[in-house]
Amino acid sequence: MPSSDLLPDTARLEKVASGASWAEGPTWIPGWRAVRFSDVSGNRILEYSERTGELSVYATEVEYTNGRALAPDGSVVQCSQGRRRMERDRDGAVEPLADQWHGRRFNSPNDVVVTSDGTIWFSDPSYGILKDGEGHPGELEYGDHYVFRLDPATGEVEPAVLDVRMPNGLAFSPDETILYVSDTSMELPERTPAGYPSGGHGIRAYDVAGGRWVKNGRLLLEIQDGLADGFRVDTDGNLWTSAGSAVQVFTPDGALLLTIPVPETVGNLCFGGADGQSLYITASSSLYRIRTNARDARSSFLPWS
Ligand code: MG
């Protein structure tokens, strides 16, 4: 789709909710017609209802959840930085999925995507164990920052991406043959494991083999002013990413198509709305929305409405 077709002529960015300490991890909850997101440092989960236009508190004392993703079965898989684990929420009942790899605890899972077969891929940077307020201070028990793959049927956890200094957002191409992972290591360089290049502020791409292995890692794009924290891929394969105080849209080849300025620093975003074409943006203390002509690539296999 040409860049001029990404947004309708009438599209305007609007602030729909505010009052979070640090808003992150938005996901559209179809049955409730709501956007659920984390107030990470507020240690609670909020929901914005598209029906009523109201913001409500979904849960408190949640141990610093961050990213979340709707699974094909309608449950919500989310990252808990405080519990250093992945967990699943079914209508408010939360069950643990995994918190360690070979006896060593995860750092602080940050963002997650669930593929069409239910497999869970999540990033494990260390932001939640650096200090109080986004988790609890702790050690890098396995000594690095990986993207892991979790098979919820067996509980098996395996490292999938090992060469991103500070993996953060992640998403797949529409056919799930390419995995994209953002690197936010430009922030907090002192936490970088030895031997890694410094200053990551872009998105890397990997070919996925057998739904299991990744190879041919390459730098797809770099954000010129800020970081790519969370992002989504649309049905045309374009990447809609946080980019400092903006959302930027890139082609699958990494060419910049569009910049949408946002008044606050953008952490993450998701597509929502009954038709899946509203883009919801978590930015610092607020939730923004803008209408688009695009849809999330994952909407083809998710229970969207
Ligand atoms: Mg993140």
Side-chain angles (χ1 to χ4, degrees), residues 22 40-41 63-64 81-82 108 127-129 131-136:
W22 176 248
V40 179
S41 43
E63 279 300 329
Y64 307 98
Q81 299 187 164
S108 53
Y127 297 114
I129 56 173
K131 54 181 169 48
D132 281 318
E134 295 180 37
H136 309 287

Side-chain angles (χ1 to χ4, degrees), residues 24 66 110-111 168-169 229-230 267-268:
E24 257 274 20
N66 193 325
N110 185 290
D111 212 344
N168 202 316
D229 189 333
N268 219 321

Side-chain angles (χ1 to χ4, degrees), residues 250-271:
F250 293 87
T251 68
D253 296 325
L256 178 62
L257 287 174
L258 179 70
T259 297
I260 305 169
V262 177
E264 298 178 74
T265 301
V266 179
N268 219 321
L269 47 80
C270 72
F271 287 98

Side-chain angles (χ1 to χ4, degrees), residues 125-177:
S126 49
Y127 297 114
I129 56 173
L130 299 177
K131 54 181 169 48
D132 281 318
E134 295 180 37
H136 309 287
E139 297 302 312
L140 291 176
E141 294 197 6
Y142 63 89
D144 211 328
H145 308 113
Y146 293 160
V147 171
F148 288 100
R149 188 188 59 258
L150 164 61
D151 180 346
T154 63
E156 181 188 35
V157 173
E158 286 187 34
V161 177
L162 288 70
D163 65 348
V164 175
R165 276 182 65 201
M166 203 62 106
N168 202 316
L170 66 176
F172 284 89
S173 62
D175 62 2
E176 299 183 342
T177 62

